[in-house]
Amino acid sequence: MQIQDLQVVLKVAEFKSITLAATSLEMSAATASAAVKRVEKSLGIDLFIRSTRRLRLSVAGERYVSQCGQALNLLDLAKQNIQTDAESIEGEIRLSLSSDLGRNLVLPWLDEFIELYPKISLKVNISDSNVDFYRDSIDLALRYGFVQDAALYGFKICNVPGVLCASPNYLAHHQKPLHPQDLVSHNGLFYQLHDVTHNIWTFRKNQEEFKIKMSGNRASNDGDLVRRWCVAGKGVAVKSYLDMSQDLLNGQVVPIIPEFTSRMTELWLICPSKQTITPAVRLLRDMLQLKTKAVFKQLIDAGFMNPDFKIE
């Protein structure tokens, strides 16, 4: 049921005429009539008693229209309050993002955030390197991993499982693994940080753990490049479900042996001191939590993730 349809119903009740209501709303009578019918169908009742010469509210319609008008007034008031709050949220946010998550998911979310709060300005640093808040002049960092530094403050955004994946084109030319041990014959795509190549992949099923030392011809300190290689069919990769979400939903990659769980991590919004936790930061935290939850719901609905996955 659309709010616009409810507004049509209120106008029809006010004018006791679909034609006059439509004229007031600058729409056709047919469009107004269709809106009334949609509301009545949704409610399962007739709001209006119609005759060839006149239209009047039914008993149920009178009660509904009265409460509906109050509800729409409350919604309008809430909208005005939000707009007032948005105008009071201002300042600069200097945010560090990892390359893959930042470019492919978070940047569009930040565009929405600025549209909601136009007095906020953003400075974004995209890098997979460790963050030095003072050297890099950063207020916040959105990072995977567990916060172990007691000197830092942070908000947990969500739990993030990993996914072993490859492109359909790669799997068309290589035998699909059925077990983690089958991966030794496949080309691994590796993340590398400080000259350490992460080529030992761990998988679990029930109480068993499998550690596989992979071989491969590509490694990078840029997570987005590893994702691009995977999409291009250059090998298999273990990435976070968030990083690969759009590629999974678009069919550019597919999960492999999903019954064996790979790494599990957390996504945190980290800051160096309590002084940097402003109302804008809290609103950003809330938005990130809602957005990541929506992504996981898409993946679960599409059958890529276990419905029992605990996001928080």
Side-chain angles (χ1 to χ4, degrees), residues 163-172 176 230-231 235-237 241 244 247-258 304:
V163 57
L164 174 69
C165 54
S167 72
N169 181 56
Y170 176 85
L171 294 175
K176 188 174 182 179
C230 186
V231 171
V236 297
Y241 264 103
M244 302 306 297
D247 300 311
L248 286 164
L249 293 167
N250 294 334
Q252 292 182 291
V253 299
V254 295
I256 303 171
I257 53 173
F304 291 116

Side-chain angles (χ1 to χ4, degrees), residues 178-183 200-214 257 259-263:
L178 300 177
H179 190 278
Q181 293 171 349
D182 297 338
L183 291 170
I200 298 178
W201 294 351
T202 302
F203 301 89
R204 292 181 178 81
K205 184 177 182 182
N206 299 326
Q207 302 302 317
E208 289 189 273
E209 181 178 274
F210 305 89
K211 286 192 175 183
I212 310 298
K213 186 171 184 180
M214 297 289 297
I257 53 173
E259 63 273 20
F260 292 86
T261 58
S262 56
R263 66 187 186 193

Side-chain angles (χ1 to χ4, degrees), residues 99-101 103-104 128 163-167 187-193 196-198 201 217-240 243-244 247 252-253 263:
S99 65
D100 201 346
L101 182 69
R103 289 190 181 98
N104 299 305
D128 283 334
V163 57
L164 174 69
C165 54
S167 72
N187 189 55
L189 305 172
F190 304 126
Y191 180 66
Q192 179 179 305
L193 187 62
V196 176
T197 301
H198 295 266
W201 294 351
N217 61 6
R218 286 176 172 82
S220 176
N221 66 345
D222 188 315
D224 188 39
L225 182 53
V226 177
R227 183 194 66 82
R228 289 170 184 263
W229 282 335
C230 186
V231 171
K234 305 303 182 184
V236 297
V238 173
K239 296 279 292 174
S240 85
D243 288 352
M244 302 306 297
D247 300 311
Q252 292 182 291
V253 299
R263 66 187 186 193

Side-chain angles (χ1 to χ4, degrees), residues 15 44 52 88 91 102 107 110 135 138 156 194 257 260 284 300:
F15 286 101
T52 55
S88 67
L107 287 181
L110 294 177
R135 181 196 64 201
I138 297 295
K156 181 180 173 181
H194 304 307
I257 53 173
F260 292 86
L284 179 61
I300 290 170

Side-chain angles (χ1 to χ4, degrees), residues 47-84:
L47 296 174
F48 298 95
I49 298 173
R50 299 162 175 85
S51 68
T52 55
R53 300 181 61 181
R54 59 179 298 186
L55 178 148
R56 63 183 177 86
L57 284 167
S58 65
V59 174
E62 288 179 355
R63 185 165 60 250
Y64 181 77
V65 164
S66 174
Q67 295 177 356
C68 182
Q70 295 173 21
L72 289 181
N73 287 336
L74 286 173
L75 284 174
D76 187 57
L77 179 61
K79 181 180 178 181
Q80 292 176 24
N81 289 338
I82 287 175
Q83 290 173 337
T84 301

